[in-house]
Amino acid sequence: MVKTGKKSFSDFIKEHSIILGILLLALILRCYDLFSIPYTHDELSGLLRTRFGSFHELIAKGVKVDGHPAFVQVFLYYWTGLFGTSEWIVKLPFIFSGVGGVYFAYKIGKRWSNVTVGLIVAAIIATSQYPLMYSQIARPYTSGFFFTLWFAYHWGEIVFFKNYARKHLIWFPVAAALCAYNHHFSMLTAGLIGLFGIIYTSRDFLRNYLVLCLAAIILYSPHFTILAAQLKMGGLSGWLGKPEPAFLSHYIYYIFQFSTIVIILYSGIIVWTRISGINVKRNSKAILFSGILFFTVFFTGYFYSIYVAPVLQPSVLIFAYPFLLLFLFGWAKEQDKKTNLILVSAIILLNCFVLVFQRKHYSVFYKTPFKQLVLDVADLYKEPGFAIIFSDEPKTRFYEERGDLWIPGPEQCKFITVPEFTEKDLEALLDQLSGRYDQIYLGATSSLPPSYRTIILETYPHIIWQKNYFSASTLLVSKGKPSEKPIADITKNKNLFNGYNPGKWYDGGYHFEKDEEWGPGYSKELSKLVKRPSDLVDVVVKLKLSDPKQEPLLVLTIQSGDSTIVFQGTPASRHTINQKDSTVTLVQSIKFIDLKYQKLENPTLNTFIWNRDKNPLQILSFRVIYRKDNPLTYGLYEPIVE
């Protein structure tokens, strides 16, 4: 029989069976269908910044230009150089670091409180989508998650338990420095832990503690010049907005998988384990510190984002996330092994059910838009057609260069970017294509303005199919009968338009006389209009101008009480004016998923023509179209409502 110390191997397995089962499950969930896990936008961006001929060039062009410290970028540079860029091989170290984080969360929970706390926290981290997903992404989140817990474990041994074993004294500065090299928020988290250590450490060890902190700073010092360059970049205001007051409550709902049942289970566990079980001595100071640490990290990021530059998003809180769990569950009394097994089983079963069937992790996360946008083109060429793709072209070309897929040439496919490719450009392209092709393919990430899709559907109104992915959709459209009927059409149901004057409709249009500024419009309360938060509304108006230089505006607003929440205006000059008959088609679109209308007081959609020039004008058609859109647009970070 194989012996491990004084206990046999079988005894070791039996004694630690629950945590070993949790770790095995954590690995299985993260490695499920390993060869199909795709790259995300951030991963492709990172990989494209490893294509340099020297380390110096990597730092200058691949690290300093980015907002992240050097560790992950340098690691990817050498790792892909050795093993290539296959998704599974690139992600594997990050998957293992995620499982390692589960282990250290268990060790900290057990050491700072008791074995029940360690098992509960480990089970939650092992099976929740938030830490699981970031374990499958080769970016500095799960690595920092591991480094932070690794550092916190050795720090806790020194500070809370006065355990000055050599391994703790060595790994303390090493792990702290790796946190700093990994991500600015893992550096912040480790830095705060270090600062709190000055308060918590025993007075007779304080000088040695400060030496350990100094050693960590010295290990990080080669990165000072990179840090200085990156700090000049500011925040992420180019694409990330300031956090809303409800950010924290939304974050907590997010980390609990947007599941009320999960929250009820966790609440029940917190209450039950607080009043029932075995009283063993816990380090209450350490559990309280865990809560202080999480909220200090959160509020630092929150107020920095409000008053300096936006940086706060769920991904950067993952380094402090385990400490929130330790704070919530760390007050539990220790339970017997049978009860621990029941608690862990309940957490695992419910979390896995929510992960697979409600969050749909393995279907939503496992489809990358940059690859799918091209893969779906294959359905187009069963008949003659043309593909329009709105995407970050280098990220899509990455797969072509690697030999994974074929991208049609410019005679069959066009990549577009906005605002470089304007609505006028699209109208001109469609004018050329409409005489040659009966069907068009549109593949677009969610950042494409919805009006572009509306313009395409004016020429090709029949949707043959639409495929939805996280942050992207693909459509095959053709000429023929429109797939959606207007909910309001001034030529058919004039009574739905407020301000409509029957006497002004003649000769096939609604007439604005000279000096007339306002005409008919459409209004609808969103509570009566919106069926699903992921849907959208298109407004399409065809005008006949009395002067090609006229600038009437198609306006769409969202009104809440006396406040205008949204104001969108499309001038005639943004679109192509037919020089033969002076007609122009204006479009407006609004995605409700971007509006967060549920928080508004009785919001109302209004749309109308603003005849700013007050010159004669005709409305030839005025249609409001309600369309079902992509429920998975934000499906990894928001509830999925289909």
Side-chain angles (χ1 to χ4, degrees):
M1 183 177 289
V2 179
K3 296 285 185 178
T4 303
K6 295 181 180 180
K7 295 183 179 179
S8 69
F9 181 71
S10 59
D11 288 339
F12 174 83
I13 294 294
K14 186 176 180 180
E15 181 180 346
H16 299 92
S17 58
I18 299 179
I19 183 57
L20 290 174
I22 291 172
L23 292 172
L24 179 61
L25 179 61
L27 183 63
I28 291 171
L29 291 175
R30 285 155 177 77
C31 289
Y32 174 78
D33 201 6
L34 178 63
F35 302 111
S36 298
I37 307 176
Y39 284 134
T40 62
H41 175 279
D42 282 353
E43 287 174 294
L44 288 170
S45 177
L47 288 171
L48 291 174
R49 286 183 285 105
T50 61
R51 298 176 170 183
F52 302 109
S54 67
F55 182 81
H56 175 76
E57 192 177 11
L58 170 71
I59 297 299
K61 298 180 181 179
V63 175
K64 286 187 176 180
V65 298
D66 187 40
H68 297 107
F71 174 79
V72 168
Q73 202 61 31
V74 171
F75 173 80
L76 289 174
Y77 177 73
Y78 288 107
W79 184 262
T80 57
L82 289 171
F83 301 109
T85 60
S86 294
E87 285 88 339
W88 74 273
I89 199 70
V90 172
K91 291 172 180 286
L92 205 57
F94 296 87
I95 288 173
F96 285 138
S97 70
V99 177
V102 175
Y103 172 69
F104 272 108
Y106 164 74
K107 290 198 71 170
I108 292 172
K110 179 182 177 182
R111 182 70 163 139
W112 292 9
S113 187
N114 57 63
V115 68
T116 298
V117 172
L119 291 171
I120 289 172
V121 171
I124 292 173
I125 295 174
T127 56
S128 296
Q129 185 185 32
Y130 176 49
L132 189 155
M133 180 182 73
Y134 282 109
S135 296
Q136 296 177 313
I137 298 174
R139 296 303 295 148
Y141 303 111
T142 190
S143 52
F145 174 76
F146 172 78
F147 291 147
T148 304
L149 287 168
W150 183 30
F151 168 61
Y153 171 72
H154 293 291
W155 172 87
E157 288 298 307
I158 293 169
V159 170
F160 291 134
F161 302 103
K162 299 182 181 180
N163 182 353
Y164 306 131
R166 181 180 298 177
K167 63 180 180 180
H168 302 310
L169 300 179
I170 291 174
W171 292 127
F172 175 109
V174 171
L178 285 171
C179 288
Y181 276 111
N182 179 82
H183 192 284
H184 296 313
F185 262 81
S186 58
M187 177 170 65
L188 170 66
T189 307
L192 288 170
I193 293 173
L195 287 174
F196 279 113
I198 297 174
I199 300 171
Y200 290 131
T201 196
S202 63
R203 297 302 93 185
D204 56 349
F205 190 76
L206 181 58
R207 180 178 296 178
N208 293 327
Y209 179 83
L210 293 175
V211 170
L212 292 175
C213 293
L214 179 61
I217 294 171
I218 292 171
L219 288 173
Y220 176 71
S221 60
H223 201 276
F224 284 163
T225 55
I226 297 173
L227 176 63
Q230 291 178 332
L231 288 175
K232 294 177 183 178
M233 296 172 60
L236 307 173
S237 56
W239 60 271
L240 182 65
K242 294 181 179 181
E244 297 181 353
F247 181 95
L248 181 59
S249 60
H250 182 273
Y251 173 77
I252 291 173
Y253 198 29
Y254 167 57
I255 65 175
F256 294 154
Q257 305 199 92
F258 298 109
S259 173
T260 302
I261 299 176
V262 168
I263 293 174
I264 291 172
L265 173 65
Y266 289 172
S267 301
I269 290 174
I270 290 171
V271 173
W272 169 257
T273 56
R274 189 74 181 91
I275 62 177
S276 176
I278 306 166
N279 267 318
V280 294
K281 187 177 180 181
R282 74 172 66 85
N283 194 317
S284 298
K285 184 165 56 176
I287 302 304
L288 182 61
F289 158 76
S290 298
I292 294 171
L293 175 64
F294 173 82
F295 288 107
T296 303
V297 171
F298 166 74
F299 283 113
T300 300
Y302 181 84
F303 288 115
Y304 185 92
S305 297
I306 294 293
Y307 296 109
V308 182
V311 293
L312 186 63
Q313 50 187 323
S315 59
V316 303
L317 291 178
I318 197 167
F319 316 117
Y321 156 73
F323 299 96
L324 175 61
L325 297 181
L326 286 167
F327 176 66
L328 293 175
F329 295 94
W331 310 101
K333 295 179 180 179
E334 185 167 334
Q335 309 296 313
D336 59 51
K337 188 170 183 178
K338 181 179 179 181
T339 304
N340 284 338
L341 181 60
I342 292 172
L343 292 174
V344 167
S345 298
I347 291 169
I348 286 173
L349 289 173
L350 182 56
N351 268 348
C352 287
F353 174 82
V354 174
L355 175 75
V356 175
F357 297 105
Q358 294 183 0
R359 299 302 299 147
K360 301 182 179 180
H361 177 76
Y362 296 106
S363 57
V364 176
F365 182 69
Y366 278 43
K367 296 287 186 181
T368 176
F370 298 104
K371 197 171 185 178
Q372 291 300 141
L373 293 181
V374 176
L375 286 176
D376 289 349
V377 174
D379 288 344
L380 168 66
Y381 297 118
K382 294 173 182 177
E383 296 182 20
F386 191 88
I388 299 172
I389 299 177
F390 174 81
S391 171
D392 189 332
E393 187 172 355
K395 293 181 175 64
T396 299
R397 294 284 180 190
F398 170 86
Y399 293 102
E400 182 185 43
E401 293 168 7
R402 207 174 60 173
D404 291 2
L405 49 79
W406 167 78
I407 297 178
E411 69 284 350
Q412 293 179 293
C413 175
K414 184 174 182 63
F415 279 86
I416 65 172
T417 57
V418 175
E420 292 79 10
F421 191 82
T422 66
E423 292 169 319
K424 268 188 178 180
D425 294 330
L426 179 59
E427 290 166 343
L429 175 63
L430 291 170
D431 187 54
Q432 298 172 21
L433 298 176
S434 62
R436 298 166 54 194
Y437 300 109
D438 289 332
Q439 60 181 24
I440 291 290
Y441 168 88
L442 173 64
T445 59
S446 57
S447 54
L448 177 72
S451 58
Y452 281 67
R453 189 177 102 156
T454 310
I455 292 170
I456 291 174
L457 289 174
E458 279 300 289
T459 304
Y460 295 89
H462 180 68
I463 300 174
I464 299 173
W465 52 253
Q466 176 173 334
K467 298 178 183 179
N468 297 320
Y469 308 103
F470 168 69
S471 75
S473 294
T474 60
L475 299 90
L476 184 62
V477 296
S478 68
K479 297 176 180 178
K481 187 178 180 180
S483 296
E484 291 111 345
K485 294 181 179 179
I487 57 174
D489 185 338
I490 201 169
T491 64
K492 296 179 180 179
N493 35 29
K494 300 175 176 59
N495 59 305
L496 295 179
F497 290 81
N498 48 56
Y500 179 83
N501 184 342
K504 291 184 176 293
W505 184 275
Y506 55 89
D507 295 336
Y510 187 95
H511 289 251
F512 283 77
E513 307 299 336
K514 186 171 177 57
D515 296 328
E516 192 172 3
E517 189 172 2
W518 310 103
Y522 176 83
S523 297
K524 191 83 169 183
E525 294 177 5
L526 295 192
S527 59
K528 298 177 181 178
L529 176 64
V530 181
K531 299 174 183 177
R532 291 165 296 271
S534 57
D535 294 346
L536 57 81
V537 160
D538 290 336
V539 182
V540 184
V541 177
K542 186 175 183 179
L543 302 175
K544 183 176 178 62
L545 309 178
S546 60
D547 182 345
K549 295 182 180 180
Q550 270 181 271
E551 278 283 46
L553 205 67
L554 172 58
V555 176
L556 186 151
T557 69
I558 300 295
Q559 201 80 15
S560 178
D562 295 329
S563 301
T564 300
I565 308 302
V566 173
F567 181 95
Q568 298 177 179
T570 302
S573 58
R574 190 186 295 177
H575 294 274
T576 303
I577 299 174
N578 188 318
Q579 298 301 317
K580 294 180 180 179
D581 58 8
S582 296
T583 58
V584 61
T585 299
L586 309 184
V587 300
Q588 273 289 355
S589 298
I590 188 163
K591 289 182 176 181
F592 298 118
I593 199 168
D594 294 330
L595 187 58
K596 298 182 179 178
Y597 65 92
Q598 298 95 332
K599 299 178 182 179
L600 303 176
E601 181 182 353
N602 193 29
T604 302
L605 179 144
N606 304 291
T607 183
F608 51 89
I609 290 294
W610 179 10
N611 186 22
R612 297 182 295 177
D613 305 305
K614 299 183 181 180
N615 287 324
L617 178 71
Q618 287 185 55
I619 299 177
L620 302 180
S621 67
F622 192 147
R623 290 173 291 132
V624 181
I625 306 165
Y626 187 94
R627 301 190 195 276
K628 184 178 180 180
D629 200 30
N630 182 4
L632 305 179
T633 298
Y634 303 123
L636 293 177
Y637 304 103
E638 298 285 348
I640 297 173
V641 181
E642 296 188 90

